[in-house]
Amino acid sequence: MEIIWQGIKQAIILIFTGNREVYEILFLTLRVSGSAVFFSMLLGIPVGVLVGLNKFPLKKFIIAVINTGMGLPPVAAGLIVILFIWRSGMLGFLKLMYTPTAMVIAQVLIASPIIAGITLAAVQQIDPKLKQQVLSLGANRFQVYWILIREARLPALAAVMAGFGGIISEVGAVIMVGGNIKGETRVLTTAIVQMVRMGNFDMAIALVVILLAITFGVNFLLTLIQQKEGIGWIRRF
Amino acid sequence: MSKFRFLKIFLIFMLSVLIIATSVFAFSCKDKVKNTEIILATTTSTYDSGLLDELIPVFEEETTYKVKPIAVGTGEAIAMGERGEADVILVHSREEEDRFVEEGYGTERRDVMHNDFVIIGPEDDPSDISGLTAVEAYITISVNEALFVSRGDDSGTNKKEIAIWEETGTTPQGDWYIESGQGMGETLRIADEKQAYTMTDRGTYLTQQNNLSLVVLVEGDEILFNPYGVIPVNPEKHKDIDINYEGAQAFVEFITGEKGQAIIKEFGVAEYGQPLFYPDVIK
Amino acid sequence: MDKKILEISDLKKKYNSKFCLDVNNLYAEKGKILTIIGPNGSGKSTLIRLINLLERPDEGKIYFNGHEITNGEVSQTEVRKKMAVVFQEPLLFNTSVYTNIIMGLKIRKIKLSGVKDRIDYFTGKLKITDLLNRSTKNLSGGEKQRVSLARALVLDPELLLLDEPLANIDQSSRESLRADLFGVLRGYGKSVVYITHDRNEAMVLADDIAVMDRGKILQFAGKEEIFRKPVNEFIARFVGVETLVDGVILERKGNVCKVGVTARKSNIEVSVVSQERRGTRVTLAIRPEDVILYSTEISSEESSAMNLFKGKITEIRDIGIFKRIEIDCGFPLSSFVTQNSVNRLKLALGKEITAAVKASSIHMFKR
């Protein structure tokens, strides 16, 4: 008990005195997971929409692949990435091992199927006749997709939240491909592991507090956006 | 355009976006310049002591190299060296190190530092092992079936522990013998929790002391000697991989050189009252 | 060609496992309302989708403003931009009412500033001005359909297609929506194709009517002609003919035929204005509005009708303003009378009554 209380006290001090190590870790985490969620959206949402709204051969198979990807254990994603980027791997020449880039790649691999899968499910809920209505209003192919994505914007946002949540709290893949190198590839989760291992509980708790604050903060913000029913907001569209 | 074809084209487009984006990201990192990066494979106990966090910045400042210390179990560190995934290894498992060089995976082994292992346990020492030799202590523990936590992870510490068991002529088995499968820090915590006996390197014990109720019961035995060796990975074995041999050598020179050795000698003294490691080159 | 905004020629399309749409010739004139009536499953919705190029026909051509739109060359999107469709379900987007209404304008890149008047006009006419800022989520079915209609109308399309817009609205809302919608359409002046299965809607709205069943057009003519001269029993029943009897033309004098009708006891002769030949087997269609009732024993001075049927009243049914009287005069004959007439003639079940029907009011078609 004493330790926990001590830890929390120290944590507050570390956070508010702008401890360099803590903030280094924080910003790296945001950079890595932020980029990862951005690219995952870029990849996941179009895939979810296209697969959901079109008929084509092997559609069921692709949906199964996406759903499997959603449940992919993060460490599996980490292993897959390592096999490509380590020195003896196909992409070894890129020297991506133990870099933030590798971490972004692994996180994209984890988050994209989540985003694609949820968007896909959301889009399939849309009344199929709505597409006809949109076409009859004179929309070309791209306008149709744009409008239908907007129609599914709330679940799509939920998809992004799920994807972000999945990667910011992930530890296994990110240690495998990043190496947890201080100042380079040490993010909140991996730093917490290291601090605990080294017995540095104050720091560990501080980092946990920050991690929780971020996760909660981001989710709170996105939830506000998702649930807001006000006139002003709707007018914006 | 049929729907299917559109889908394929779009997917390919998205994939290219992804690849281009990551490549741009990759190439924007300065260390992609050839040979600036040194991957150092070492053990978790070595890293967790915090020594490398002191040594590496000094080394980096003096040279243009960037060291990436990857802390894994001894077995994996050596395996990384064998695969050419590391440029230099720093471990504490003499037999394995020698084999590593013999088989040509490493060019040369050099002494860096040493410390020792200690057997720790609950303050009241129920099995009364205090002051015994390591082998005697193990026999006693085994006979009493006293709780003992092992690393169980193929690490240098673990290999030492197994070597001692071998000397006892018995194999530890049973509910009293717990294998944590984790790093030294975690193992110590488990032992503390269960008020069990365990063997640890002194360095980790010192850094974790404040969090533990366990005390040192057996020490000083020759068999508990724990030497660390540094070995550059042999580039000849990996013709198709870009091994930073120059960098590895520079690092070896540094930690066996005056400056590096001085840092090792001083490390931890202020905080723990005694050094965690004893340098081998200077005395 | 100039006057026809839409023309359909030899169009064929399989639309379910049983039936195929097969339209030889159908057209809509500019500025007029073409109503297509038919029961469910007759292929009406498929027809709308084909016109709007949402589906391709198996065979045949559709012309819009004189140009063929079913060949592969024309841009579907460009054609659709000249039309607007309202479906049975409102199919709105989950944003505000206002955003829904302007959605078509935004898609077609029509400047909002230029059509502000139009938007105000239609939202006013459809009585949804108060709803503009609300989300579409909690609107009633009727309100949603009003939004859908406004969305289509503000586009000022060259051709407006309405696929049973009132069918899914509940009874209570339907009356007022119908009134408002028809109020807009009647003064509209643009070309409309209106699909329904309700003959009353057709009656009120249409300039021209096409009757469909099982994929085929049974009759395509102006409103009057369809209602006065349905070409078969199906259409007759559909357009509200209550009395149908079979018979054979016994003789013809001039332009009046004497048709022998098989009645319960004996043959009854009915005079019908027609050019058909003797011996033709026919069905007579008598609208209940054309059957005038008198208390028994009237002379030929009192009524100029050539057909006087005597019979007993077998049923008196309330249908809104009118009462439907069914008389057994050898065959069942239906008449609509006002409450006033019921009182005046002292109509009651079992009462003997005379029904007069003009030879010119009876419509006859070949069996």
Side-chain angles (χ1 to χ4, degrees):
Chain A
M1 266 306 123
E2 198 35 53
I3 280 188
I4 299 178
W5 180 231
Q6 262 299 105
I8 294 181
K9 277 201 320 210
Q10 262 305 325
I12 296 175
I13 295 176
L14 284 170
I15 294 171
F16 285 102
T17 56
N19 177 283
R20 188 164 164 257
E21 201 180 338
V22 166
Y23 281 90
E24 205 173 50
I25 293 171
L26 171 62
F27 290 134
L28 182 67
T29 308
L30 292 176
R31 243 181 73 209
V32 168
S33 293
S35 326
V37 96
F38 175 71
F39 286 119
S40 303
M41 270 172 68
L42 225 51
L43 190 55
I45 293 184
V47 168
V49 169
L50 286 174
V51 172
L53 291 178
N54 285 305
K55 282 201 185 58
F56 53 89
L58 290 184
K59 175 168 174 164
K60 291 212 173 87
F61 176 71
I62 292 190
I63 294 181
V65 169
I66 293 175
N67 286 335
T68 308
M70 269 176 84
L72 185 72
V75 286
L79 184 58
I80 293 172
V81 172
I82 305 186
L83 290 174
F84 279 92
I85 65 172
W86 66 12
R87 288 174 168 181
S88 32
M90 248 183 5
L91 300 178
F93 64 94
L94 286 175
K95 295 195 198 274
L96 288 174
M97 198 65 179
Y98 309 128
T99 61
T101 308
M103 294 159 81
V104 171
I105 295 176
Q107 290 191 341
V108 168
L109 205 53
I110 296 169
S112 312
I114 295 177
I115 295 180
I118 297 180
T119 307
L120 168 67
V123 139
Q124 285 184 316
Q125 296 277 8
I126 297 179
D127 192 339
K129 297 204 196 102
L130 192 60
K131 188 176 173 188
Q132 289 203 332
Q133 178 74 80
V134 175
L135 283 171
S136 77
L137 288 171
N140 61 33
R141 170 171 252 130
F142 293 106
Q143 285 175 310
V144 171
Y145 288 128
W146 179 238
I147 291 174
L148 292 178
I149 290 180
R150 286 224 313 237
E151 196 58 11
R153 64 188 175 278
L154 295 185
L157 197 54
V160 171
M161 280 158 71
F164 181 73
I167 58 180
I168 196 151
S169 40
E170 195 278 324
V171 136
V174 118
I175 262 192
M176 278 168 96
V177 307
N180 200 10
I181 299 169
K182 185 169 164 172
E184 295 268 316
T185 57
R186 192 169 284 181
V187 289
L188 282 170
T189 46
T190 62
I192 292 170
V193 168
Q194 186 62 35
M195 292 303 125
V196 167
R197 288 233 300 254
M198 289 169 75
N200 192 345
F201 289 111
D202 299 340
M203 188 68 117
I205 293 176
L207 295 172
V208 166
V209 166
I210 295 178
L211 181 57
L212 288 175
I214 293 181
T215 334
F216 179 74
V218 169
N219 278 296
F220 185 63
L221 179 64
L222 294 179
T223 305
L224 269 185
I225 295 178
Q226 193 193 44
Q227 304 293 340
K228 196 161 176 193
E229 306 269 284
I231 293 175
W233 179 255
I234 288 175
R235 264 263 179 80
R236 279 236 245 131
F237 283 105
Chain B
M1 203 191 301
S2 87
K3 290 173 177 174
F4 189 29
R5 209 168 134 236
F6 178 76
L7 176 67
K8 276 209 309 213
I9 293 177
F10 198 85
L11 280 174
I12 293 174
F13 170 70
M14 292 309 333
L15 211 61
S16 345
V17 165
L18 190 68
I19 292 179
I20 293 173
T22 42
S23 314
V24 165
F25 205 138
F27 289 111
S28 68
C29 284
K30 349 183 202 90
D31 301 311
K32 291 315 136 217
V33 178
K34 213 165 129 73
N35 286 339
T36 314
E37 197 178 272
I38 304 174
I39 295 186
L40 165 68
T42 184
T43 72
T44 51
S45 45
T46 316
Y47 186 79
D48 290 349
S49 67
L51 173 65
L52 289 171
D53 285 343
E54 292 262 339
L55 277 173
I56 289 176
V58 179
F59 172 70
E60 287 179 343
E61 231 186 272
E62 276 193 14
T63 64
T64 53
Y65 291 112
K66 197 113 188 37
V67 179
K68 296 199 166 180
I70 308 296
V72 290
T74 303
E76 195 182 329
I78 292 179
M80 275 173 75
E82 286 174 3
R83 282 201 315 266
E85 295 298 331
D87 300 306
V88 58
I89 66 176
L90 170 64
V91 294
H92 52 114
S93 185
R94 192 59 199 258
E95 240 181 76
E96 310 249 301
E97 293 164 38
D98 290 336
R99 187 187 52 80
F100 190 73
V101 174
E102 255 170 54
E103 291 180 358
Y105 290 109
T107 52
E108 169 198 32
R109 182 202 176 276
R110 296 235 258 184
D111 285 319
V112 183
M113 60 202 185
H114 62 270
N115 59 14
D116 59 336
F117 290 104
V118 293
I119 303 178
I120 65 176
E123 219 174 325
D124 56 351
D125 191 12
S127 295
D128 225 352
I129 62 168
S130 176
L132 297 176
T133 67
V135 176
E136 288 169 351
Y138 273 29
I139 293 176
T140 313
I141 289 173
S142 150
V143 162
N144 290 350
E145 297 198 347
L147 279 179
F148 183 90
V149 185
S150 161
R151 286 284 293 274
D153 66 348
D154 218 28
S155 57
T157 308
N158 191 215
K159 290 196 211 284
K160 174 63 76 177
E161 180 213 325
I162 290 175
I164 299 176
W165 283 116
E166 269 171 24
E167 291 291 311
T168 68
T170 63
T171 332
Q173 261 180 26
D175 289 337
W176 58 271
Y177 185 70
I178 302 166
E179 295 187 81
S180 73
Q182 297 181 66
M184 201 66 241
E186 285 90 13
T187 305
L188 287 177
R189 263 189 293 286
I190 295 174
D192 195 51
E193 207 54 47
K194 294 187 180 294
Q195 288 290 291
Y197 292 99
T198 187
M199 189 184 82
T200 172
D201 62 289
R202 193 186 292 269
T204 311
Y205 177 73
L206 286 173
T207 55
Q208 299 283 354
Q209 215 173 8
N210 292 336
N211 306 325
L212 301 172
S213 66
L214 304 173
V215 294
V216 175
L217 297 167
V218 176
E219 57 183 321
D221 192 338
E222 230 190 287
I223 203 175
L224 296 174
F225 182 60
N226 183 27
Y228 289 75
V230 64
I231 312 173
V233 169
N234 184 2
E236 294 299 309
K237 272 276 192 180
H238 308 281
K239 289 285 176 55
D240 52 346
I241 296 178
D242 203 6
I243 307 277
N244 190 353
Y245 187 58
E246 244 179 62
Q249 286 179 305
F251 182 73
V252 169
E253 288 305 322
F254 176 76
I255 63 169
T256 54
E258 233 185 271
K259 224 177 187 167
Q261 291 280 297
I263 294 175
I264 294 173
K265 185 171 181 183
E266 287 303 313
F267 183 69
V269 176
E271 220 183 319
Y272 305 107
Q274 40 174 302
L276 271 53
F277 303 96
Y278 296 93
D280 282 332
V281 180
I282 64 170
K283 294 292 175 207
Chain C
M1 265 309 163
D2 232 7
K3 277 178 59 191
K4 296 181 190 166
I5 182 116
L6 180 73
E7 182 158 11
I8 296 173
S9 159
D10 295 318
L11 194 70
K12 290 196 184 26
K13 172 91 181 165
K14 199 161 168 46
Y15 64 92
N16 66 23
S17 52
K18 278 188 284 184
F19 298 117
C20 187
L21 194 66
D22 185 358
V23 177
N24 286 349
N25 184 32
L26 180 65
Y27 58 82
E29 285 184 16
K30 256 195 202 153
K32 297 244 187 99
I33 300 180
L34 166 66
T35 307
I36 303 180
I37 50 181
N40 292 328
S42 49
K44 315 190 291 286
S45 295
T46 309
L47 187 55
I48 288 273
R49 285 201 296 274
L50 287 166
I51 296 172
N52 199 234
L53 300 181
L54 294 172
E55 284 188 44
R56 271 198 216 286
D58 297 334
E59 278 177 51
K61 299 189 207 283
I62 300 179
Y63 297 86
F64 181 68
N65 262 331
H67 306 294
E68 189 192 336
I69 57 176
T70 37
N71 64 26
E73 294 161 20
V74 76
S75 157
Q76 293 176 337
T77 312
E78 288 311 310
V79 170
R80 291 193 200 119
K81 284 186 184 173
K82 300 200 175 119
M83 306 179 189
V85 187
V86 178
F87 295 95
Q88 258 177 295
E89 307 90 359
L91 298 172
L92 302 179
F93 306 106
N94 63 0
T95 61
S96 69
V97 166
Y98 181 72
T99 310
N100 269 276
I101 294 177
I102 62 174
M103 189 62 87
L105 295 167
K106 287 177 86 175
I107 289 176
R108 296 180 186 194
K109 303 215 170 61
I110 299 175
K111 261 204 154 114
L112 287 185
S113 46
V115 296
K116 201 178 170 313
D117 292 336
R118 219 192 286 163
I119 298 175
D120 291 337
Y121 176 72
F122 286 117
T123 52
K125 278 280 178 174
L126 288 165
K127 307 211 175 81
I128 51 176
T129 320
D130 291 335
L131 301 176
L132 283 180
N133 286 329
R134 278 178 54 184
S135 158
T136 55
K137 249 201 279 197
N138 296 319
L139 296 180
S140 70
E143 288 168 331
K144 285 186 183 165
Q145 195 64 308
R146 286 172 189 267
V147 177
S148 183
L149 286 162
R151 177 174 62 185
L153 288 164
V154 300
L155 295 172
D156 196 29
E158 287 180 40
L159 176 62
L160 180 64
L161 303 165
L162 302 162
D163 185 359
E164 304 208 53
L166 304 178
N168 281 357
I169 316 289
D170 61 284
Q171 270 289 58
S172 44
S173 322
R174 198 182 304 172
E175 291 295 321
S176 80
L177 178 51
R178 198 171 111 158
D180 294 330
L181 173 60
F182 287 12
V184 171
L185 290 180
R186 268 192 302 222
Y188 195 46
K190 299 267 179 134
S191 317
V192 179
V193 174
Y194 188 98
I195 295 196
T196 179
H197 61 264
D198 181 331
R199 62 172 179 253
N200 294 318
E201 291 178 12
M203 184 61 163
V204 171
L205 267 188
D207 294 315
D208 300 315
I209 298 184
V211 182
M212 275 183 80
D213 185 34
R214 285 178 272 198
K216 293 196 168 32
I217 307 275
L218 300 178
Q219 189 171 359
F220 170 45
K223 171 164 65 179
E224 282 307 314
E225 199 175 314
I226 294 267
F227 275 82
R228 289 283 138 203
K229 301 182 185 169
V231 297
N232 64 26
E233 181 171 335
F234 176 82
I235 299 179
R237 289 234 180 269
F238 204 77
V239 298
V241 167
E242 299 272 331
T243 306
L244 288 166
V245 261
D246 295 338
V248 171
I249 301 181
L250 300 171
E251 60 170 355
R252 175 158 69 94
K253 276 201 184 120
N255 61 347
V256 176
C257 294
K258 277 225 182 335
V259 179
V261 162
T262 328
R264 214 171 6 101
K265 286 201 198 123
S266 54
N267 276 348
I268 300 181
E269 279 185 8
V270 180
S271 301
V272 182
V273 171
S274 166
Q275 302 285 0
E276 290 295 345
R277 285 170 15 178
R278 194 171 81 124
T280 316
R281 292 147 68 88
V282 292
T283 302
L284 302 182
I286 307 178
R287 307 192 67 86
E289 305 93 78
D290 297 329
V291 179
I292 319 289
L293 298 182
Y294 297 91
S295 33
T296 42
E297 297 319 325
I298 56 168
S299 59
S300 44
E301 284 100 49
E302 285 182 60
S303 165
S304 56
M306 288 172 81
N307 297 301
L308 296 168
F309 303 109
K310 286 211 192 44
K312 271 207 184 108
I313 295 180
T314 53
E315 190 189 67
I316 301 182
R317 201 178 349 140
D318 221 328
I319 42 161
I321 339 169
F322 292 111
K323 294 262 189 286
R324 181 181 179 277
I325 314 289
E326 186 157 301
I327 306 159
D328 181 8
C329 49
F331 58 86
L333 178 65
S334 299
S335 170
F336 285 166
V337 297
T338 60
Q339 181 63 46
N340 227 336
S341 308
V342 171
N343 298 338
R344 191 169 42 85
L345 297 167
K346 296 196 185 44
L347 298 182
L349 282 180
K351 185 177 163 71
E352 293 275 344
I353 197 86
T354 302
V357 187
K358 288 198 178 147
S360 53
S361 317
I362 302 180
H363 176 60
M364 184 166 76
F365 48 82
K366 288 198 272 217
R367 253 192 290 155

